[in-house]
Amino acid sequence: MTLFGTPKNDLGNSYEALQNHTIGNLPPIESIKIEEVDLSLKTLSSESSKRNIRENKADFIEKSKRNKIVGDRGELIALIEQRKYLKDRGREDLSKKVDHISRHDDSAGYDIKSFDLRGNEIYIEVKSTSNPAGFKHFFISKNELLTAQEKENYYIHFVHDTCSKSPKIWKVKGVDFLNNEKIEKEAISFKIRFRTEQ
């Protein structure tokens, strides 16, 4: 089964890394039509913000594989879109410099380094889902959160319908989104430090 179509040199080896995992027949990455959408935040209802999704016993290995495929595919979609955006506006020089940072550095706090049309660097964190837009949640690491607060040109690109032929990207400025009163942040994980002796 082909997950990303025939891999191309500028897309790296994401295909090889994921070729053994399946979540159905995904259209080849070269055949998709990416659409940028302009969405607006709605106020969370008390019901939707407090709802607790309960699952039956989860198959965490399969869920992790699926999340990896959706996440990596979303990053490739965002990478292709950024390169095309710059190239279509006469900045092929910058298009060639767009870097898929997360492929070689997990500590950067973002996935893609790109550029605006003036040549200023922008930092993009990609959040992907196979679902359409609507009520959503996503996870953000402490490092990603701090990087969003520290870098003025930090953006979050939400890739919806990641597994379809027409994925959609919603681009938001990181600090504006994360400080918006219409979103809700919830701490769900803690790092516990301790020392033992005998």
Side-chain angles (χ1 to χ4, degrees), residues 12-52:
N13 64 357
S14 296
Y15 170 79
E16 288 86 355
L18 295 173
Q19 63 185 343
N20 295 324
H21 305 308
T22 61
I23 56 171
N25 292 321
L26 299 179
I29 202 81
E30 295 86 0
S31 71
I32 64 172
K33 183 177 182 217
I34 304 166
E35 179 186 350
E36 184 176 345
V37 293
D38 186 19
L39 304 176
S40 58
L41 289 170
K42 292 172 57 176
T43 302
L44 287 169
S45 67
S46 57
E47 183 180 304
S48 65
S49 64
K50 291 179 181 175
R51 72 179 180 175
N52 189 8

Side-chain angles (χ1 to χ4, degrees), residues 49-65:
S49 64
K50 291 179 181 175
R51 72 179 180 175
N52 189 8
I53 299 171
R54 298 178 64 146
E55 296 183 18
N56 294 330
K57 177 109 175 117
D59 184 340
F60 290 106
I61 293 174
E62 282 306 311
K63 191 172 183 179
S64 179
K65 287 178 184 177

Side-chain angles (χ1 to χ4, degrees), residues 103-122:
R103 283 190 52 223
H104 52 83
D105 184 0
D106 283 334
S107 66
Y110 55 92
D111 298 312
I112 296 169
K113 182 175 77 175
S114 188
F115 303 88
D116 65 21
L117 296 176
R118 294 182 301 277
N120 301 311
E121 291 182 351
I122 62 171

Side-chain angles (χ1 to χ4, degrees), residues 1 5 15 17 28 38 40 79 82 84 99-101 116-117 135 147 160 166 171 173 193-194:
M1 183 191 102
Y15 170 79
D38 186 19
S40 58
L79 182 73
Q82 275 298 289
K84 184 177 186 312
D99 191 2
H100 195 173
I101 296 291
D116 65 21
L117 296 176
F135 179 81
T147 306
H160 298 281
S166 53
K171 302 175 181 180
K173 185 138 189 180
R193 297 174 183 264
F194 64 95

